[in-house]
Amino acid sequence: MRYLGNKTKLVPFLLETVDRFQEAPGVACDPFAGTASVSAALKEKGWQVHAGDLMASSYALQVARVQLDAPPRYPASLLPAAAGNGKREIGYRALLKELDGEGLDEERPDGEGPRRRGFIFEHYTSDGAAGREHGRMYFSPENGRKIDRVRTRIERWTRGSAHSEAAAQLLIATLIAAADRVANTTGVYASFVKTMQPNALRPLELRPIEPTRRRKGAGACSAFRGPAARLLESVGPVDLVYLDPPYNGRQYPAYYHIPELLALGWATPPEIRGKTGLIPDEAQRSDWCRKQRAPDALREVLEAADGRHILFSYNDEGHLDRAAIEEMLRERGLPDSYAFHDRPYRRYRSDADGPRRSYLRDDVREHLHYVRCA
């Protein structure tokens, strides 16, 4: 998934850094998990990981990639055709296949067919009333209809308590990832492209997400939605605290309001505002994105962290400068253990809308600050 601060490309560097101070896997806490790339990589290496984030969309991805050890089974009653064949359960992939192809050719009698004007269609496609009023072009009308149908079906299944929360979150994460592949954006949802990109014209496809397998002997991993300090306090002593907070003024709820909407659902329709159709997000706004509050945010997290090792990942363009971070980490841990590593990487950004937009590449550096606490 396209995501600000996604560490997928930096995972080898991060794991290499972790191996320098602890070769044997232990227990880790990743309270700014985002797309859960680092948490999943640590789990794959044999770590027991407790992941967390403020965002509901991140929580769904954490459950799908980290908390679950394998795809769950679902009650066959979710699909009348399967139940009619005498099946008691249906697999994740089989369920996705049914969701992907269900009701695409004709109007369904229950009102969930492709022509039904659902929430995403109405607000985030050019054929919807609100979408047309504001010129929103986040999805093609066809993909908007399908997103509505799939999310409505997941909501109905969830209300019926026919399967576990984790099983529901896996389906939500699958839809979030599928919608992101066909979103008519340049990577974030703070704006949309004014002409339909080739990816946005492709039909939405529900591709399975494979949960990361737990290694033999490793403890169960968990997912959490809420403030970083609260997660750190709840998990207690761990071997590794990995901190990867937001580093500039971009508030994630405003940049990813549509994935967040897909995660939360619209059983109670939220109030939509502005040209981009933002949803209420005050509770999810982070002090890390406010220059004056970022130092206190770091102090709060360091006070809550009970880890033998603390690894702090931060961009060189962030609100906090290197000297301030070093000072606080030396105060928190053993001063002589402080170490600093960095790695350059390529970032792509769009400088114009439209099919002829070009991408500029510039070098930025990811800073890794380390301190040992015991």
Side-chain angles (χ1 to χ4, degrees):
M1 181 174 170
R2 300 171 291 177
Y3 204 75
L4 288 172
N6 192 323
K7 294 298 186 292
T8 300
K9 292 183 179 180
L10 290 173
V11 160
F13 170 53
L14 294 169
L15 295 180
E16 174 187 308
T17 304
V18 170
D19 287 343
R20 292 179 186 175
F21 56 76
Q22 182 163 327
E23 293 185 8
V27 182
C29 185
D30 177 10
F32 301 95
T35 61
S37 294
V38 174
S39 288
L42 287 169
K43 181 182 179 182
E44 189 173 25
K45 291 274 288 185
W47 288 76
Q48 178 184 6
V49 184
H50 301 292
D53 203 285
L54 279 174
M55 301 284 283
S57 49
S58 171
Y59 175 70
L61 293 167
Q62 294 166 43
V63 172
R65 302 185 67 187
V66 181
Q67 179 176 313
L68 288 170
D69 298 316
R73 304 284 295 177
Y74 294 83
S77 58
L78 298 180
L79 298 174
N85 292 332
K87 294 182 179 180
R88 297 182 60 185
E89 293 182 324
I90 185 171
Y92 167 55
R93 289 175 178 269
L95 189 60
L96 290 187
K97 186 177 180 180
E98 291 294 327
L99 277 175
D100 233 354
E102 187 180 42
L104 296 182
D105 299 324
E106 59 183 16
E107 186 76 28
R108 291 173 52 82
D110 57 11
E112 291 187 6
R115 299 175 189 83
R116 182 176 181 270
R117 292 176 174 266
F119 196 87
I120 295 296
F121 177 90
E122 280 293 299
H123 291 278
Y124 299 103
T125 78
S126 59
D127 281 8
R132 185 166 54 250
E133 178 184 353
H134 295 279
R136 296 180 195 136
M137 298 176 65
Y138 279 104
F139 300 104
S140 70
E142 294 75 18
N143 284 333
R145 289 189 184 98
K146 186 169 181 179
I147 292 169
D148 280 322
R149 179 177 54 76
V150 173
R151 189 60 182 85
T152 300
R153 180 55 56 92
I154 294 171
E155 179 70 27
R156 179 185 298 175
W157 291 343
T158 303
R159 285 201 310 269
S161 300
H163 53 296
S164 69
E165 181 192 3
Q169 291 298 323
L170 177 58
L171 296 177
I172 290 171
T174 305
L175 177 59
I176 290 171
D180 189 66
R181 286 190 292 270
V182 298
N184 194 40
T185 71
T186 58
V188 297
Y189 294 80
S191 63
F192 47 85
V193 180
K194 296 174 184 176
T195 58
M196 297 303 289
Q197 303 178 104
N199 71 294
L201 295 174
R202 294 197 297 264
L204 181 137
E205 178 186 3
L206 297 173
R207 301 176 190 170
I209 295 175
E210 286 296 335
T212 307
R213 300 281 176 176
R214 193 198 321 179
R215 284 198 179 182
K216 185 177 180 180
C221 297
S222 67
F224 174 83
R225 182 186 171 207
R230 191 184 305 165
L231 172 61
L232 289 164
E233 290 167 352
S234 67
V235 301
V238 296
D239 297 291
L240 169 64
V241 172
Y242 173 66
L243 303 174
D244 181 22
Y247 63 89
N248 60 24
R250 296 170 181 151
Q251 289 282 358
Y252 279 68
Y255 274 71
Y256 296 96
H257 62 294
I258 294 180
E260 198 69 1
L261 181 59
L262 296 180
L264 296 169
W266 46 86
T268 301
E271 181 181 347
I272 302 297
R273 70 182 193 276
K275 184 176 179 61
T276 58
L278 295 176
I279 61 177
D281 59 14
E282 188 58 37
Q284 295 163 290
R285 289 183 168 265
S286 173
D287 283 348
W288 291 90
C289 299
R290 298 177 169 104
K291 189 175 181 64
Q292 300 303 318
R293 299 185 186 181
D296 288 339
L298 176 55
R299 291 189 187 93
E300 179 187 26
V301 166
L302 291 178
E303 288 175 5
D306 188 2
R308 292 179 58 222
H309 308 280
I310 296 176
L311 189 61
F312 183 78
S313 179
Y314 208 64
N315 191 281
D316 66 348
E317 298 175 340
H319 289 323
L320 295 167
D321 61 41
R322 177 178 170 180
I325 295 170
E326 179 177 347
E327 180 182 359
M328 282 188 266
L329 285 175
R330 286 185 184 275
E331 290 176 357
R332 174 63 182 82
L334 304 176
D336 293 342
S337 70
Y338 174 81
F340 174 81
H341 311 280
D342 73 338
R343 177 68 58 90
Y345 66 97
R346 294 285 188 181
R347 178 179 59 186
Y348 294 80
R349 69 173 186 265
S350 174
D351 66 342
D353 284 343
R356 294 183 179 275
R357 70 186 179 283
S358 60
Y359 288 87
L360 305 177
R361 296 195 289 182
D362 58 345
D363 285 319
V364 291
R365 304 193 75 86
E366 188 70 19
H367 291 178
L368 281 181
H369 305 258
Y370 163 78
V371 70
R372 182 163 57 89
C373 299

